[in-house]
């Protein structure tokens, strides 16, 4: 059967990662969480006390020392992210990383390094990648592009539940604040801003269940695969 690349872009808490993961599983495709890569870069900078307010030569040089990959590990159904060989899946979801990831992801050097890696991952096709600029920058030729949106209160509640389930201590107000800040930074940056690709299909998940979401994107994917 023909293999395609699928780009799932949109705002945080819209269910895009969950949908992309389940879709990849259903199709036997590789799921890649591009946000996890920006989070891993942020973790590296934080650990090594490298300033990210400006695109300094130190920041640019650090990018050469960062190697990110995804592996299937025990206890995880989906690939988890590694930073220089160390699994960092839980660490990158903490509020300290959420607070700095969008400012880190603004820098052109950071984006170019990640986009190059993401494009390599898609060369063989059969990839479902979720992020902000996948349909516009990473895979502009993707056979299927979906842009996922939902109301802010619903997104925040979903993200809060996710974090509380993981034992991360936070509250609704803090989550709303973080989502709004990231939405603003992500949408207004110069390089690879968050925006719907012209040929992307809009999916509003405010009143959809995960099963509905997966099913509707799966149907679209099968149409493209059989075309
Ligand atoms: O899951 P959530 O939407 O909270 O975030 P994520 O997908 O883990 O991405 C975290 C942050 O990384 C986003 O808010 C963006 O600032 C940045 N990002 C990006 O710039 N480009 C991407 N392709 C993916 C993420």
């Amino acid at each position: 059967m023909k293999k395609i690349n699928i780009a799932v872009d949109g705002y945080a808490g819209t269910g895009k990662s969950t949908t992309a993961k389940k879709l990849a599983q259903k199709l036997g495709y590789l799921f890649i969480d591009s946000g996890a890569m920006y989070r891993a870069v942020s973790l590296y900078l934080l650990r090594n006390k490298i300033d990210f307010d400006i695109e300094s030569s130190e920041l640019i040089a650090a990018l050469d020392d960062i190697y990110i990959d995804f592996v299937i590990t025990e206890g995880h159904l989906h690939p988890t992210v590694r930073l220089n060989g160390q699994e960092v899946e839980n660490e990158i979801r903490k509020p300290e990383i959420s607070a700095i990831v969008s400012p880190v992801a603004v820098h052109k050097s950071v984006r170019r390094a990640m986009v190059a890696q993401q494009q390599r991952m898609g060369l063989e096709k059969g990839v479902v990648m979720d992020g902000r600029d996948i349909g516009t920058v990473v895979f502009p030729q993707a056979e299927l592009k979906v842009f996922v949106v939902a109301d802010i209160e619903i997104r925040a509640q979903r993200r809060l539940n996710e974090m509380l389930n993981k034992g991360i201590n936070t509250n609704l107000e803090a989550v709303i604040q973080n989502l709004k800040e990231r939405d603003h930074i992500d949408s207004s940056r110069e390089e690879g801003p968050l925006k719907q690709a012209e040929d992307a299909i809009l999916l509003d998940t405010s009143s959809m269940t995960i099963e509905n979401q997966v099913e509707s994107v799966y149907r679209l994917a099968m149409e493209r695969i059989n075309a």
Side-chain angles (χ1 to χ4, degrees):
M1 218 186 327
K2 184 176 84 183
K3 279 192 174 177
I4 63 169
N5 279 341
I6 301 172
V8 183
D9 288 303
Y11 297 92
T14 51
K16 80 186 144 53
S17 298
T18 314
T19 304
K21 265 184 204 166
K22 290 190 184 252
L23 176 68
Q25 209 180 348
K26 233 169 134 108
L27 293 169
Y29 280 19
L30 183 64
F31 162 70
I32 299 184
D33 177 356
S34 69
M37 298 172 70
Y38 292 96
R39 286 173 178 271
V41 171
S42 306
L43 178 63
Y44 181 91
L45 299 177
L46 197 67
R47 280 181 174 170
N48 292 282
K49 301 189 170 53
I50 296 169
D51 190 18
F52 48 82
D53 289 342
I54 52 157
E55 201 162 27
S56 63
S57 50
E58 199 191 5
L59 168 64
I60 294 170
L63 293 171
D64 288 336
D65 300 327
I66 300 177
Y67 180 72
I68 295 167
D69 63 356
F70 290 87
V71 285
I72 303 270
T73 50
E74 232 187 286
H76 291 271
L77 203 54
H78 304 284
T80 53
V81 68
R82 293 195 308 181
L83 169 61
N84 293 334
Q86 186 202 9
E87 206 238 284
V88 291
E89 188 61 35
N90 287 333
E91 203 151 344
I92 60 164
R93 309 286 162 196
K94 293 188 173 162
E96 8 345 344
I97 299 297
S98 297
I100 65 168
V101 59
S102 292
V104 168
V106 154
H107 298 301
K108 288 192 169 109
S109 52
V110 172
R111 303 206 68 78
R112 286 176 190 169
M114 292 306 111
V115 168
Q117 289 198 32
Q118 290 153 4
Q119 288 176 332
R120 264 199 305 277
M121 294 171 186
L123 283 178
E124 313 270 309
K125 302 254 179 151
V127 163
V128 182
M129 194 175 290
D130 95 63
R132 303 289 189 283
D133 59 343
I134 311 306
T136 50
V137 176
V138 180
F139 300 144
Q141 311 296 342
E143 288 82 353
L144 174 60
K145 299 178 186 178
V146 183
F147 193 79
V148 197
V149 298
D151 299 339
I152 181 84
E153 290 79 16
I154 293 174
R155 292 164 52 206
Q157 192 58 56
R158 287 177 182 161
R159 181 49 45 94
L160 179 67
N161 294 345
E162 223 172 74
M163 293 172 88
L164 295 178
N165 280 337
K166 283 185 185 155
I168 299 172
N169 187 23
T170 183
N171 60 65
L172 192 62
E173 269 318 301
V175 174
I176 291 180
Q177 175 79 3
N178 174 255
L179 292 184
K180 284 187 173 166
E181 267 167 31
R182 281 200 287 139
D183 286 355
H184 175 68
I185 300 174
D186 292 346
S187 313
S188 57
R189 71 179 166 232
E190 205 178 302
E191 181 113 347
L194 166 64
K195 66 165 193 241
Q196 184 177 353
E198 269 175 25
D199 51 351
I201 290 165
L202 185 70
L203 189 71
D204 185 337
T205 68
S206 302
S207 52
M208 284 176 107
T209 63
I210 291 290
E211 286 67 32
N212 290 156
Q213 288 175 224
V214 177
E215 205 38 52
S216 59
V217 183
Y218 178 72
R219 228 175 300 127
L220 294 168
M222 288 315 287
E223 274 170 29
R224 304 299 199 280
I225 290 169
N226 294 321

